[in-house]
Amino acid sequence: MATNLGILTQADLNEAMKLEKRKQYEDQRKKRIFNAKQRLYGIDLDALERQIAEKTKQRHFEAECVRRYEQQTQMMQDAVKAKELELEKRKHIMESDLNYYRCRYQRKEQRREFDLNDPNWNKKSQPIRIADDDINLGISSAQIFLGEDLGFKERKQRQRAQQRAWLDQQVMERKHAEESRVKADRILQESLHSRDKRLEDMANSERRVRHEIVDSIRRFNGEMAKRKTEERARKKKETTEDDMAEIYNMLTSDMLTENPDVAQSKTNPNKKIAFMFRGMTPEELAQFRKQQHQQMLEGKRRRTEEQLMDKQWEQYALNIDRELMLKHLEMERKKQAELQQLIEFNGKLAKEQKTQREYNNKIMNINRVSKEFYEQFNKTTR
């Protein structure tokens, strides 16, 4: 909507703002009202916020678990890497020591046969006739012969001295190495012996404590068995004494002596004590037989009357059943007549309804409701 801002006043602006705000409220109200799910069921914001908080907490917990697992993995990798570096360093030190030993004690010029393979042997060799002062003697003088070795003995002596020095040095080194090995073995044996002794002492102390515990348990069990034996003997003695007293009481009681006076009740002269009663006298037995005969006659008379009464009730029941059957037949006839009347009445009503329906469809219901009639509703929230 185009507006000319040059002629608007503050009241117009306020009114426009109110209209715009009212329009926004109306749109929001439409969203709330025309949303069937929210209008009928509503939204539980507290439950949603609680679920969001729980999911966030669970997500943070899982992230913390993953972080701790990664941290622990990194620590383990660092430890393994440090161990590998340490092993590499030890290996490098061992190789350096080996190379130093080889360079120091296993050089090529220190071999026994180095003089045979020395490339500078010709440069270091002396003339053949080093003992003759006349060095200018030629071949024809027969003083110098090829292959002659004048310093053989001296060289042999020096070689033997050198070999002896080498052997002495190797013997000393082997001796020192053997002493070091023996010393290390002795220290190892002492440590093993001390460990075995400590283990043996611990085993002996444990065995001694176990034996003490077993002895204490054995003594306790012996005392308990002795007490149980004494208690069993005492109970057996008491039981025997009680049994003897009970036997004596039973032998001297009125029940075994069958005293008829003890069966008479103290409160009622005509009443007998049941557990003390030992039978009736002949007079009482004759009276009992007489009463029993009278009861039998009374029972026979009662059964005769009951049989007569049962026959009367059966005849009465047959009469009632016959009357009920007649009533039932009469009611069925009436029901059939009413059902026929109802069918005729329903047929008449059906014809009237059909006539009314044809009248409504042809005359009354000519103007039907169109779709535009229903679409004019629910356009606003007011």
Side-chain angles (χ1 to χ4, degrees):
M1 180 180 66
T3 57
N4 190 357
L5 299 178
I7 61 175
L8 291 177
T9 61
Q10 187 64 32
D12 296 334
L13 293 175
N14 294 335
E15 187 66 24
M17 291 176 63
K18 288 181 181 179
L19 292 175
E20 185 65 25
K21 188 178 293 185
R22 185 177 299 173
K23 184 178 180 181
Q24 293 178 0
Y25 287 161
E26 185 69 20
D27 294 337
Q28 294 177 1
R29 182 180 174 86
K30 285 182 179 180
K31 292 180 180 179
R32 290 196 303 270
I33 292 176
F34 294 126
N35 188 353
K37 183 177 180 180
Q38 183 176 0
R39 187 179 71 251
L40 296 177
Y41 301 103
I43 299 177
D44 192 357
L45 297 178
D46 296 334
L48 293 177
E49 292 177 357
R50 186 165 58 253
Q51 291 178 0
I52 292 171
E54 290 177 356
K55 289 185 179 180
T56 304
K57 185 178 180 180
Q58 182 69 21
R59 196 179 299 111
H60 290 169
F61 178 76
E62 293 176 355
E64 183 67 19
C65 291
V66 172
R67 187 185 65 78
R68 291 186 179 180
Y69 177 79
E70 292 177 354
Q71 184 178 2
Q72 186 176 6
T73 305
Q74 186 65 31
M75 290 175 61
M76 294 176 66
Q77 290 179 356
D78 294 338
V80 172
K81 187 175 181 180
K83 193 67 176 179
E84 291 178 353
L85 291 176
E86 183 179 359
L87 293 176
E88 290 291 335
K89 186 176 180 181
R90 290 183 181 179
K91 184 177 179 182
H92 181 69
I93 293 172
M94 291 174 64
E95 290 178 353
S96 299
D97 295 338
L98 181 62
N99 293 330
Y100 175 76
Y101 180 83
R102 289 175 178 174
C103 294
R104 179 68 178 81
Y105 299 104
Q106 294 181 351
R107 290 182 295 178
K108 189 176 181 180
E109 57 269 21
Q110 291 179 349
R111 298 178 182 176
R112 292 183 302 173
E113 64 275 11
F114 178 72
D115 55 343
L116 301 177
N117 300 319
D118 190 2
N120 297 323
W121 181 78
N122 292 327
K123 296 179 182 180
K124 296 178 182 179
S125 63
Q126 298 293 332
I128 299 175
R129 300 293 295 179
I130 194 171
D132 295 334
D133 296 334
D134 190 4
I135 61 174
N136 296 320
L137 294 176
I139 298 175
S140 62
S141 62
Q143 297 294 322
I144 300 175
F145 298 96
L146 295 175
E148 188 176 11
D149 190 4
L150 298 178
F152 177 74
K153 294 182 179 180
E154 184 179 359
R155 183 171 54 79
K156 278 293 185 182
Q157 291 177 358
R158 289 198 302 270
Q159 287 180 356
R160 289 193 185 94
Q162 189 177 12
Q163 290 177 359
R164 192 178 297 109
W166 287 348
L167 290 174
D168 293 339
Q169 183 178 1
Q170 291 179 1
V171 168
M172 291 297 295
E173 290 177 356
R174 290 185 178 180
K175 186 177 180 180
H176 290 314
E178 186 67 21
E179 290 177 355
S180 300
R181 187 183 63 78
V182 171
K183 185 177 180 182
D185 292 340
R186 186 173 64 255
I187 293 172
L188 179 61
Q189 292 295 331
E190 289 177 356
S191 63
L192 293 175
H193 181 70
S194 61
R195 188 192 64 182
D196 294 340
K197 186 177 180 181
R198 186 168 60 256
L199 292 175
E200 186 177 0
D201 294 338
M202 291 174 65
N204 291 332
S205 62
E206 184 179 0
R207 194 180 302 109
R208 184 170 60 257
V209 171
R210 191 182 296 111
H211 287 167
E212 291 177 357
I213 293 172
V214 171
D215 292 337
S216 62
I217 293 172
R218 189 181 296 110
R219 288 195 299 272
F220 178 76
N221 291 334
E223 292 178 359
M224 291 297 294
K226 185 177 179 181
R227 290 181 183 178
K228 286 184 179 180
T229 303
E230 294 175 355
E231 184 69 19
R232 195 178 297 112
R234 185 181 61 79
K235 287 184 178 180
K236 185 176 181 181
K237 183 178 179 182
E238 292 178 356
T239 304
T240 304
E241 292 177 355
D242 294 340
D243 292 341
M244 294 301 295
E246 185 177 0
I247 291 171
Y248 177 76
N249 293 330
M250 291 297 293
L251 291 174
T252 58
S253 64
D254 295 332
M255 182 177 66
L256 295 180
T257 57
E258 296 185 356
N259 186 7
D261 296 334
V262 297
Q264 188 65 37
S265 176
K266 302 298 184 182
T267 59
N268 190 0
N270 298 324
K271 184 177 180 182
K272 300 292 184 179
I273 300 175
F275 65 91
M276 299 298 293
F277 185 68
R278 292 294 179 272
M280 295 184 295
T281 60
E283 293 80 6
E284 293 176 348
L285 187 60
Q287 184 68 22
F288 175 75
R289 296 297 183 186
K290 184 178 180 181
Q291 292 179 359
Q292 189 176 14
H293 181 67
Q294 291 179 359
Q295 289 177 0
M296 291 174 61
L297 294 176
E298 185 68 22
K300 187 176 181 180
R301 184 181 60 79
R302 191 185 310 106
R303 285 194 297 273
T304 304
E305 292 179 356
E306 288 179 355
Q307 290 177 1
L308 182 60
M309 184 64 69
D310 291 339
K311 289 181 179 180
Q312 292 177 358
W313 275 107
E314 288 178 359
Q315 187 64 33
Y316 179 74
L318 291 174
N319 296 332
I320 293 297
D321 291 339
R322 189 180 297 106
E323 292 180 0
L324 289 174
M325 182 62 68
L326 295 175
K327 290 287 185 182
H328 181 69
L329 293 175
E330 185 178 359
M331 290 178 65
E332 286 292 332
R333 286 194 297 270
K334 289 182 179 181
K335 188 175 180 180
Q336 290 292 333
E338 291 177 356
L339 181 62
Q340 186 64 30
Q341 292 178 1
L342 181 63
I343 291 172
E344 293 176 357
F345 180 74
N346 289 335
K348 188 184 294 183
L349 288 177
K351 291 180 180 180
E352 293 178 357
Q353 289 178 359
K354 183 177 180 181
T355 305
Q356 184 67 29
R357 192 182 301 111
E358 291 177 354
Y359 175 76
N360 292 333
N361 292 332
K362 294 180 179 179
I363 299 174
M364 298 298 295
N365 298 331
I366 296 175
N367 296 326
R368 298 184 179 274
V369 180
S370 62
K371 185 178 181 181
E372 289 78 7
F373 175 77
Y374 294 104
E375 288 180 351
Q376 67 180 345
F377 300 103
N378 291 333
K379 294 295 185 178
T380 179
T381 59
R382 305 297 177 180

